[in-house]
Amino acid sequence: MATRAGAPLPIRARARPCEFALGEPTQRRSSQGMDEFLLGDEQVLAQGHGVVLLNTDEAGILSVTNFRLLFVSQATKGIIELGTIPLTAIEKLNDDVKLQSLPRQYDKKQPRELLQVIGKDMRVIVFAFLPKTKQKNEVFDALRRYTKPTHLLDLYAFSCDPATIYQRSDPKMRLLKEYHRLFRNQSPHFKRSVSEFENDSRNDWWRVTKVNSNYSLCSTYPSALIVPSSISDEDLLQASPFRAGKRLPAISWCDPVSGAVLARSSQPLVGLMMNCRNNTDEKLVSALCTQTIDVTGSRKLYIVDARPRANALANSAKGGGSESSSNYPRSEVLFLGIQNIHTMRESLSRLRDYVDAHGSISSNGTSSVVSLVGDRRNRGSTWGGGNLNSMTQFSSTLGEWLNHIQNILVGASWIAAQIAQESASVLVHCSDGWDRTTQLVALTCLLLDPYYRTFNGFQALVEKDWLAFGHPFAERMGIPTITDNNGGSQFELLRQPSLGNLNSSPSRSTLGPSGSSSNTSGQAQTSNNSSPILLQWLDCISQLLRLYPSAFEFSSKFLVDFMDCVLSCRFGNFLCNSEREREQSGAVNSCHCMWTYLADLRASGGSFHEHCNPFYDPIKHDGPLVPPAAALAPTLWPQFYLRWTCPIESQGGDLESQWHTMNKKYTEVMKVKDSAESRAREIKMKMESMLLELQKEKRASSSALAMVQRAQRESVAIRKAVETIGCKINFSRIENQVDNAEGLSYSFRRDTDAGYQHDKNSDLSVSITAIEDCSLVSETPSNHICESLCPFRTMEGCRWPDAACAQLGSQFVGLKANFEAFDRLSLQDCYFGPE
């Protein structure tokens, strides 16, 4: 059923992930013990055990999921990043691999079955499977089916639970905010409604038009455009057919102070003789520079054609071409000579092959570190495992790619200089206006506006010039998008051959009727519109980061992770080819947002996160960057191109990487310091606790000592008191025994004194002996004094021991001390003097 143009189509019953139309759907397997490594809604589709990653000679489990090729090491039980790659980031598979040399450990073993995986992110990896098993075939068949899906909804991005989707704001709303930031009417962070924007959408020079709100003006342009105030919506409708794909000139950036603008479009349809003209188009282009710079002169207009002049002439034979300065007053036409998408793809492919062949980690399982030094027997006549031509080959391969980067850098810097220094207006286009044009315009905006060199500004720039203005991400990454078939929307593969001319991608001009899905699938096998256009733009930014290390809030690592997120197709931001297609497919509301993911990632690390540039100084670079031509000699971007083959070297010479490395070490040292301080605090607390216990024991000991001294004084007092009645007392501790000495003895256990502690098996023995009065009894009565004093003395003399005095003494023999009376006797220390 047909729907109104531009209106979101209701998404039909969501296709289950990875059930593609290339035959019968493969039955899903269980997680096979991979639960701890899988993301949300990720499922294992095929698996191989005992697989060896030849690049690093690691054995593990290789799983094909509905999102990625996952390799888990058997030794460390962790994910090996080199062997783990998203399915959409795989460019090519090769199951017929013939390596020149295998690692030594495989020389004496049975040859293994090999599978080569070539990624769009510069990695080339080779897996070795156990022979005579079906594991390789299962993995290869799964990869062949799932890396090239034919339906958009088969992508992993659509497999998430809609309840988990959180969109901070609508991309259209963010685009309007960016337009009004350019007008300087408000802060980019100030929240306003769409209706308020529409009521305040113009000034004396420019205005925001909604003539393309239903995408009838141009299906690959955004719903809102900035155009000169003097141009009406009717003029726009008349001018659009004169440009390829109806991509008429529209303002991408404007300077509210000088009035200069940076505009973009596609090539004009001037034809072979360059005699076709459109008055409305000429009026629109001229309106880009109608405002005078000052009273002395008029503003100049530069029309920059990104293509080589020969390519522009070749396109004129097919109806395209380039402008003539005679048809546009105060204008000058220039050609930058940037090559087409096919040249860029082939150049990157050659660079990838060379980096893989001569890196310290190679897909053939051997390291070239030794061979780089040269063969001593041949006196260094070989280099990189090859011959003397290897260095020349490297220079040619690297130089070719760097020349493309330099052309883009020089072109963008020249455009920025004309706008910043001459206050001139510039119109940029190529053939279709969505590849080279986007590179130049977005890079120029980055040079002119410091806001775009922040995290928020970078997002606004990408959403404006890459997403809203219709860069064909689906075609350039080789993933499915949508097209209209007889008025109905179909979520299917759409990859048309692009020859760099007017008819490079007819389906991008209009979303009209196209061929059947079978033809589309067959066409996908023979055409290849993929190209590293976005990667080249990020490469140019990395070169500017090297030249101006304090001008950007983000780091080179942020650019690498940004590119990885785009290639993974894990998020809905970069799906499809235009704003209209993303709206029709529901990608914005049905998939997670990459910007939210990156923002949360940065928030987890704070200001020290590796995405943040530690040298950023917004005050130092608060204006345009206009690098001189001599400084625009690019170097290889090691963080991206060498990270898989030369991981150590990829981070070696970069100040930013060194800072993050030092910061990481500093963080680790601080963690150790914090741990040591925490341990010291614990030890200190234990020592304080032990000191308190020691003081408590000391007080208890002092109390016990005082009690003992008191007991000693009491015993002395008791001894004296007992001796006063004629008895001798002796205190001693025995083991439950009583002294057998002569005399009276009494044994007791002293339990009444709670403070007195003693051994439970020992008693306090008290012996009391009566003292005989020698003055009354004597063994020798004749010599005894009692002879003269004894009242019992007779005439016969002393009758001892039969005398009455002896009988008196015997009464004391049975005397028993009354110790209970002594216990009740209260004796005070003051009764007795010091001993």
Side-chain angles (χ1 to χ4, degrees):
M1 180 178 64
T3 59
R4 178 178 58 85
L9 292 175
I11 298 180
R12 296 166 296 178
R14 185 184 301 276
R16 289 182 295 176
C18 294
E19 292 188 356
F20 299 98
L22 299 176
E24 294 297 327
T26 298
Q27 184 178 4
R28 290 187 183 85
R29 300 187 177 187
S30 61
S31 60
Q32 298 290 331
M34 295 286 107
D35 287 334
E36 59 180 311
F37 306 109
L38 298 179
L39 303 174
D41 302 300
E42 187 178 9
Q43 299 176 353
V44 176
L45 305 171
Q47 198 170 78
H49 295 264
V51 182
V52 176
L53 178 62
L54 290 186
N55 302 62
T56 58
D57 192 25
E58 293 182 87
I61 302 174
L62 185 64
S63 304
V64 180
T65 73
N66 56 338
F67 170 55
R68 56 185 169 170
L69 184 64
L70 177 64
F71 186 70
V72 178
S73 172
Q74 291 180 347
T76 62
K77 304 300 181 183
I79 296 178
I80 305 301
E81 292 187 2
L82 176 60
T84 301
I85 179 173
L87 298 180
T88 55
I90 297 176
E91 181 175 326
K92 185 179 179 181
L93 299 171
N94 185 8
D95 65 335
D96 187 18
V97 185
K98 303 296 182 183
L99 299 180
Q100 295 180 354
S101 60
L102 284 174
R104 292 182 178 179
Q105 57 267 35
Y106 296 110
D107 290 344
K108 298 181 180 180
K109 293 184 179 181
Q110 188 175 4
R112 295 199 171 197
E113 299 180 358
L114 305 180
L115 174 63
Q116 184 185 58
V117 178
I118 301 175
K120 303 172 186 175
D121 57 354
M122 294 298 292
R123 81 177 95 186
V124 180
I125 49 182
V126 177
F127 296 100
F129 293 82
L130 294 173
K132 298 181 180 180
T133 63
K134 297 181 179 180
Q135 292 188 124
K136 176 194 171 181
N137 293 335
E138 292 179 357
V139 171
F140 179 67
D141 290 342
L143 287 175
R144 188 170 52 184
R145 291 164 60 91
Y146 304 141
T147 55
K148 301 296 182 182
T150 56
H151 295 282
L152 180 65
L153 295 184
D154 291 329
L155 293 176
Y156 171 74
F158 286 92
S159 65
C160 59
D161 183 359
T164 63
I165 304 300
Y166 172 70
Q167 294 291 343
R168 295 182 177 177
S169 61
D170 181 25
K172 291 184 178 181
M173 185 67 180
R174 295 196 293 265
L175 180 63
L176 288 174
K177 287 184 178 181
E178 176 56 20
Y179 283 166
H180 284 265
R181 186 195 71 86
L182 293 175
F183 286 179
R184 297 298 193 272
N185 286 345
Q186 62 152 51
S187 168
H189 304 291
F190 187 77
K191 294 183 179 180
R192 301 177 68 181
S193 64
V194 177
S195 59
E196 288 178 314
F197 277 130
E198 292 176 349
N199 295 332
D200 184 20
S201 59
R202 66 183 303 146
N203 59 20
D204 294 338
W205 291 341
W206 315 294
R207 69 183 181 94
V208 176
T209 176
K210 302 289 288 185
V211 67
N212 198 40
S213 59
N214 59 357
Y215 306 103
S216 59
L217 176 70
C218 177
S219 62
T220 59
Y221 261 15
S223 59
L225 299 169
I226 300 179
V227 296
S229 295
S230 59
I231 302 299
S232 65
D233 289 349
E234 183 64 27
D235 292 334
L236 298 176
L237 293 173
Q238 294 178 8
S240 61
F242 185 68
R243 295 282 171 169
K246 295 185 177 182
R247 295 174 65 88
L248 75 166
I251 297 175
S252 176
W253 185 86
C254 49
D255 188 346
V257 178
S258 66
V261 300
L262 174 62
R264 58 182 298 168
S265 69
S266 62
Q267 64 179 342
L269 305 182
V270 297
L272 180 60
M273 303 304 295
M274 299 185 65
N275 55 358
C276 295
R277 299 178 61 177
N278 184 293
N279 294 332
T280 311
D281 179 81
E282 294 174 6
K283 176 184 176 182
L284 174 58
V285 174
S286 299
L288 299 176
C289 57
T290 52
Q291 300 82 14
T292 58
I293 301 176
D294 51 37
V295 295
T296 60
S298 300
R299 191 184 311 278
K300 188 171 183 178
L301 172 66
Y302 291 97
I303 300 176
V304 177
D305 194 327
R307 302 166 293 180
R309 185 185 296 269
N311 291 21
L313 294 175
N315 276 280
S316 65
K318 300 179 181 181
S322 188
E323 296 86 350
S324 173
S325 58
S326 60
N327 297 333
Y328 300 90
R330 301 184 302 278
S331 67
E332 181 179 347
V333 181
L334 300 98
F335 294 88
L336 297 183
I338 302 175
Q339 298 297 328
N340 60 24
I341 61 172
H342 308 289
T343 302
M344 302 303 184
R345 180 181 64 249
E346 294 167 359
S347 177
L348 180 64
S349 179
R350 286 189 288 270
L351 178 62
R352 177 180 55 206
D353 293 341
Y354 189 89
V355 169
D356 172 66
H358 300 284
S360 59
I361 299 177
S362 177
S363 61
N364 61 11
T366 59
S367 174
S368 62
V369 175
V370 178
S371 61
L372 287 175
V373 182
D375 190 345
R376 293 182 180 272
R377 293 174 299 177
N378 297 327
R379 298 182 180 180
S381 61
T382 61
W383 187 88
N387 50 37
L388 289 174
N389 293 328
S390 185
M391 178 65 79
T392 304
Q393 178 188 355
F394 172 73
S395 301
S396 176
T397 302
L398 179 61
E400 178 187 358
W401 177 257
L402 293 182
N403 282 338
H404 297 317
I405 300 300
Q406 186 176 29
N407 288 341
I408 301 172
L409 275 171
V410 171
S413 299
W414 186 89
I415 296 171
Q418 309 317 306
I419 296 176
Q421 298 174 359
E422 296 184 14
S423 297
S425 292
V426 180
L427 171 63
V428 182
H429 70 76
C430 53
S431 296
D432 298 311
W434 53 50
D435 288 314
R436 289 165 284 193
T437 300
T438 302
Q439 289 177 329
L440 291 170
V441 171
L443 193 60
T444 302
C445 289
L446 200 74
L447 291 170
L448 290 173
D449 198 334
Y451 173 66
Y452 293 134
R453 300 194 285 269
T454 65
F455 284 112
N456 292 333
F458 182 84
Q459 175 182 343
L461 178 63
V462 171
E463 289 192 320
K464 173 173 64 75
D465 281 305
W466 287 91
L467 293 172
F469 275 93
H471 175 69
F473 282 101
E475 292 186 20
R476 298 300 172 256
M477 293 190 297
I479 60 175
T481 183
I482 65 172
T483 183
D484 283 346
N485 283 326
N486 299 325
S489 178
Q490 297 294 327
F491 297 79
E492 63 182 21
L493 187 65
L494 179 59
R495 287 195 293 267
Q496 301 291 343
S498 180
L499 303 177
N501 53 37
L502 176 64
N503 299 320
S504 61
S505 192
S507 60
R508 299 269 292 138
S509 306
T510 60
L511 292 179
S514 61
S516 63
S517 61
S518 61
N519 294 335
T520 305
S521 301
Q523 199 174 49
Q525 304 299 327
T526 59
S527 64
N528 188 359
N529 282 346
S530 63
S531 188
I533 301 301
L534 179 63
L535 173 60
Q536 285 184 316
W537 182 67
L538 297 176
D539 194 337
C540 291
I541 298 177
S542 74
Q543 307 298 331
L544 295 176
L545 270 168
R546 179 176 53 84
L547 293 177
Y548 304 99
S550 59
F552 296 83
E553 185 181 11
F554 46 82
S555 65
S556 183
K557 182 62 169 61
F558 168 76
L559 300 178
V560 174
D561 289 350
F562 171 78
M563 187 66 199
D564 286 343
C565 287
V566 174
L567 292 176
S568 71
C569 295
R570 181 181 174 183
F571 309 96
N573 306 78
F574 296 87
L575 301 180
C576 305
N577 289 321
S578 65
E579 180 183 279
R580 179 194 180 191
E581 292 182 5
R582 280 185 290 275
E583 182 177 324
Q584 289 181 332
S585 65
V588 175
N589 299 321
S590 301
C591 306
H592 288 291
C593 178
M594 188 188 71
W595 305 115
T596 303
Y597 169 78
L598 292 176
D600 293 342
L601 202 62
R602 290 194 304 273
S604 64
S607 59
F608 292 103
H609 193 271
E610 56 187 355
H611 286 180
C612 300
N613 180 11
F615 309 110
Y616 177 55
D617 186 0
I619 300 177
K620 182 178 179 180
H621 299 284
D622 59 349
L625 299 178
V626 186
L632 296 176
T635 60
L636 191 67
W637 184 17
Q639 287 88 346
F640 186 85
Y641 300 113
L642 300 181
R643 56 177 171 158
W644 303 120
T645 59
C646 307
I648 298 178
E649 291 76 8
S650 67
Q651 304 293 336
D654 183 54
L655 289 176
E656 175 189 307
S657 301
Q658 292 179 5
W659 186 91
H660 282 294
T661 301
M662 294 178 62
N663 180 67
K664 183 178 180 180
K665 293 181 179 179
Y666 173 78
T667 304
E668 294 175 353
V669 171
M670 291 303 296
K671 288 182 180 179
V672 175
K673 177 187 174 183
D674 293 341
S675 177
E677 290 179 348
S678 177
R679 180 62 178 168
R681 286 193 295 268
E682 292 179 0
I683 294 176
K684 183 179 179 180
M685 292 177 61
K686 289 183 178 180
M687 291 181 62
E688 292 176 351
S689 177
M690 294 176 65
L691 182 60
L692 292 176
E693 291 292 334
L694 182 62
Q695 292 176 351
K696 183 178 180 181
E697 291 293 334
K698 185 176 180 180
R699 288 193 297 268
S701 175
S702 300
S703 177
L705 181 61
M707 188 177 296
V708 170
Q709 292 176 351
R710 179 188 177 101
Q712 288 178 348
R713 289 194 298 270
E714 290 181 355
S715 65
V716 171
I718 293 174
R719 183 184 299 114
K720 290 182 178 180
V722 172
E723 288 178 351
T724 58
I725 62 175
C727 297
K728 181 182 292 184
I729 186 170
N730 179 39
F731 291 89
S732 63
R733 187 172 296 281
I734 62 175
E735 300 295 330
N736 292 331
Q737 295 180 1
V738 180
D739 190 4
N740 293 326
E742 267 186 47
L744 300 177
S745 64
Y746 180 76
S747 178
F748 69 98
R749 182 169 296 165
R750 189 159 182 154
D751 295 331
T752 58
D753 192 347
Y756 182 84
Q757 297 183 8
H758 56 276
D759 188 4
K760 64 180 181 178
N761 295 323
S762 61
D763 294 330
L764 180 64
S765 176
V766 180
S767 298
I768 300 177
T769 304
I771 302 175
E772 295 181 353
D773 191 356
C774 298
S775 61
L776 299 177
V777 182
S778 175
E779 294 180 356
T780 310
S782 59
N783 297 331
H784 203 276
I785 190 172
C786 65
E787 292 182 358
S788 58
L789 299 177
C790 181
F792 300 101
R793 181 172 58 83
T794 61
M795 296 296 296
E796 290 83 6
C798 182
R799 299 175 58 187
W800 182 267
D802 297 326
C805 61
Q807 294 296 323
L808 179 62
S810 64
Q811 295 178 7
F812 289 93
V813 175
L815 180 63
K816 181 178 180 181
N818 187 358
F819 286 97
E820 294 182 358
F822 281 113
D823 290 338
R824 291 191 299 270
L825 180 64
S826 175
L827 299 177
Q828 302 296 330
D829 293 344
C830 59
Y831 294 167
F832 310 97
E835 297 184 17

